[in-house]
Structures are given as structure tokens and as C-alpha cells.
Amino acid sequence: MSSNTSSPDSLARLAQVIESRLPQNGGDPQASYVARLLHKGPDAFLKKIGEEATEVVMAAKDADFGGDKTKIVYEVADLWFHCMIALAHYGLRPADVVTELDRRAGTSGIEEKALRKVQMREGEIK
């Protein structure tokens, strides 16, 4: 594994840059890839999320057969980046995701999934 030179603030800093590219913050689609995706709307960045998720799967499958494992990191970085664009579009931040992960800490994944099913049936989650 490579050394970790980033900090928890890395995602927050990147989120600020992405938020500065939002149309309402003056993001210029001619000058910024992020602004271009945001200008095109959800279909554009959601498509990219799907593509990047597929590339993560492909990199992991390749690694299972002797491929370069660092490609998984590269593809996950692309996936996270595009997910952060979606978060910004919807007025959310990486900290919201971290808060949710913290909430789930110590809870069995099986229990969490069962609880969500119950909540969905009862109309608590849409």
C-alpha cells in the first residue's frame, strides 16, 4: 500500500472545489469539466457514475487474475470523484456520507439491510 499523505480534509477541500463549479456559483462549462457535467444535468454525471462503477468492477476482476491492483485505487478515485459531483448537485457533502457510515458503525450489515426493508415497507424511506 502507498503511504497516506492525504487527510480527512482532502475530501472536504475537493468538495469545495466541486461546489465552486456549480452553475449557481458561476461554474463555467467552457473552462471546467465539473461545471460541464453539472451544466448538462443529472443524466450526465449519473451516467459517469455508472461507467466508473463498472470500471471499478473490471479492475477488481483483472486484479483477481494477476492484474495491477493499483488500477482499483485509480478507478475508485474516479468513482468517488463523480459521486462527489452528484452530492454537490443535490446540496450534500462527503461529511454527510461519513456521518451515515459512522451511524452504521457497529451495526451488522444484515441487521442494517433488514431494518431498511422494514422502514421501506412502513414508508419511512422512499
Side-chain angles (χ1 to χ4, degrees):
M1 226 43 202
S2 62
S3 65
N4 185 358
T5 58
S6 65
S7 71
D9 294 331
S10 296
L11 289 177
R13 283 192 303 272
L14 178 56
Q16 287 177 335
V17 171
I18 291 170
E19 289 168 14
S20 76
R21 304 300 199 267
L22 287 163
Q24 63 266 32
N25 294 335
D28 180 1
Q30 300 301 316
S32 164
Y33 170 75
V34 171
R36 190 174 316 134
L37 280 179
L38 288 164
H39 179 75
K40 289 179 180 179
D43 285 349
F45 58 77
L46 295 174
K47 179 180 176 185
K48 285 300 295 180
I49 290 170
E51 291 171 6
E52 298 302 342
T54 299
E55 291 175 11
V56 169
V57 171
M58 291 169 35
K61 295 299 274 178
D62 287 347
D64 284 339
F65 294 96
D68 182 359
K69 291 189 288 187
T70 61
K71 288 184 180 179
I72 299 169
V73 173
Y74 179 84
E75 297 301 346
V76 169
D78 285 349
L79 176 60
W80 285 12
F81 177 76
H82 289 89
C83 288
M84 289 176 67
I85 293 171
L87 288 171
H89 173 80
Y90 293 108
L92 300 166
R93 295 181 152 206
D96 298 316
V97 177
V98 171
T99 297
E100 176 60 14
L101 291 171
D102 286 343
R103 184 192 68 76
R104 294 180 188 186
T107 303
S108 157
I110 294 169
E111 292 171 5
E112 175 71 23
K113 190 170 183 176
L115 177 61
R116 277 189 296 211
K117 283 184 180 180
V118 169
Q119 290 172 330
M120 288 176 97
R121 273 194 295 256
E122 294 175 358
E124 293 175 29
I125 297 177
K126 299 202 185 319

